[in-house]
């Protein structure tokens, strides 16, 4: 679902507090629902989720609200997404999601049945989490500025790329690609290790709440920043980087970031 901008958060080895704490399971397939398969799940991006004490507040496309702890929450969410789903805080054993091949989605349309890769959870995350790779995703303003300069609309919204942290950096360019293998200290305590560039799926191209669909959110990096996300992988469109948490700590807007 859509996230929220917050001024501060606690960060542990399981990422930012509350991030991906819950997920929807497709009752028919047993897979985790993800807008990486737009044909089935792009309606997730008509909903927003925010942490509210021990529960999560979910806002639907018509502005209706419910809590994750409400009786009947599964039925309401099933009606919104058009498939029977169950809200859960625990991935099933061997949890997977489908990732539609993004360039096929661009070529054939959102409703086309295209080839999909099966993604297993937690390759670089603690077990029992819903991260499809690592627990923290970083994006720089330099990359956003570069995407805006290269794209036909002249703007690139961070929300499309769904980062946990946006780092204010000078210049324009895909600078964080050069951070892989380095460690970042954020604020007084938090230390992250950058582990990979972030390969992009079809999600940035989709409508995100009030933001309209934008195919160039993927086409632009496909032309201008096609790099191997990890050593040994073929080049693919990348925006941002993944990181693991070496030392937990708080993060706040305005914190200094240094190598």
């Amino acid at each position: 679902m859509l996230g929220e901008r917050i001024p501060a958060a606690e960060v542990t080895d399981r990422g930012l507090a509350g991030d991906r704490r819950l997920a929807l399971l497709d009752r028919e397939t047993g897979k985790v629902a993800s807008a990486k398969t737009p044909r089935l799940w792009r309606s997730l991006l008509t909903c927003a989720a925010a942490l509210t004490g021990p529960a999560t507040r979910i806002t639907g496309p018509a502005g209706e609200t419910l809590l994750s702890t409400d009786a009947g929450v599964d039925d309401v969410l099933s009606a919104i997404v058009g498939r029977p789903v169950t809200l859960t805080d625990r991935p099933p054993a061997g949890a997977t999601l489908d990732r539609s091949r993004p360039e096929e989605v661009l070529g054939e349309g959102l409703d086309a049945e295209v080839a999909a890769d099966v993604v297993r959870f937690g390759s670089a995350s603690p077990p029992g989490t819903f991260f499809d790779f690592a627990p923290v995703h970083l994006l720089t303003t330099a990359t956003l500025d570069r995407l805006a300069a290269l794209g036909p609309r002249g703007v690139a919204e961070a929300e499309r790329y769904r980062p946990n942290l946006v780092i204010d950096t000078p210049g324009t360019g895909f600078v964080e690609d050069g951070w892989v293998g380095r460690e970042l200290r954020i604020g007084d305590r938090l230390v992250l290790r950058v582990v990979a560039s972030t390969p992009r799926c079809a999600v940035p191209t989709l409508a995100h709440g009030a933001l309209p669909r934008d195919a160039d959110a993927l086409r632009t990096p496909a032309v201008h920043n096609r790099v191997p996300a990890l050593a040994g992988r073929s080049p693919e469109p990348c925006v941002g980087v993944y990181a693991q948490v070496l030392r937990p700590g708080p993060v706040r807007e305005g914190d200094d970031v240094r190598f």
Side-chain angles (χ1 to χ4, degrees):
M1 297 180 179
L2 301 176
E4 58 178 337
R5 180 169 179 166
I6 54 177
E10 289 294 325
V11 186
T12 72
D13 64 340
R14 301 172 76 88
L16 275 70
D19 184 33
R20 303 198 186 195
R21 187 173 72 173
L22 303 172
L24 297 181
L25 289 182
D26 187 333
R27 293 183 208 162
E28 294 180 2
T29 67
K31 293 183 177 181
V32 173
S34 168
K36 294 176 187 291
T37 300
R39 181 177 64 86
L40 297 180
W41 303 114
R42 64 183 184 270
S43 58
L44 287 172
L45 299 182
T46 67
C47 301
L51 197 61
T52 305
T56 297
R57 184 182 67 251
I58 299 167
T59 303
E64 70 275 32
T65 61
L66 66 158
L67 295 178
S68 57
T69 51
D70 286 348
V73 64
D74 292 343
D75 293 336
V76 174
L77 293 174
S78 296
I80 289 173
V81 301
R83 291 178 67 84
V85 293
T86 300
L87 187 66
T88 181
D89 63 357
R90 184 172 302 177
T96 63
L97 61 79
D98 287 335
R99 181 185 190 268
S100 295
R101 293 181 182 172
E103 288 167 326
E104 292 188 26
V105 175
L106 283 183
E108 301 185 33
L110 296 180
D111 291 313
E113 288 197 44
V114 301
D117 298 310
V118 176
V119 178
R120 295 194 176 276
F121 283 85
S123 300
S125 300
T129 61
F130 286 108
F131 299 105
D132 46 337
F133 188 62
V136 180
H137 178 217
L138 309 175
L139 182 60
T140 66
T141 56
T143 285
L144 290 171
D145 290 345
R146 184 61 174 157
L147 290 170
L150 294 168
R153 292 193 304 120
V155 63
E157 299 94 349
E159 293 87 344
R160 294 188 183 277
Y161 299 99
R162 304 171 64 80
N164 294 119
L165 303 176
V166 178
I167 299 178
D168 188 12
T169 50
T172 61
F174 301 99
V175 297
E176 58 267 50
D177 286 338
W179 296 356
V180 175
R182 302 193 70 178
E183 296 177 8
L184 299 176
R185 181 171 175 173
I186 302 178
D188 295 330
R189 181 160 181 81
L190 179 64
V191 178
L192 306 177
R193 179 173 57 220
V194 179
V195 294
S197 296
T198 306
R200 304 317 312 200
C201 59
V203 168
T205 71
L206 305 177
H208 280 64
L211 293 179
R213 189 179 177 214
D214 182 13
D216 290 301
L218 178 60
R219 286 179 179 148
T220 300
V223 172
H224 298 282
N225 197 47
R226 186 179 287 273
V227 298
L230 288 167
R233 286 180 60 144
S234 299
E236 52 196 316
C238 289
V239 177
V241 288
Y242 284 122
Q244 295 172 315
V245 179
L246 295 184
R247 187 170 69 192
V251 61
R252 300 176 182 85
E253 286 188 331
D255 277 347
D256 287 334
V257 181
R258 51 201 178 276
F259 293 110

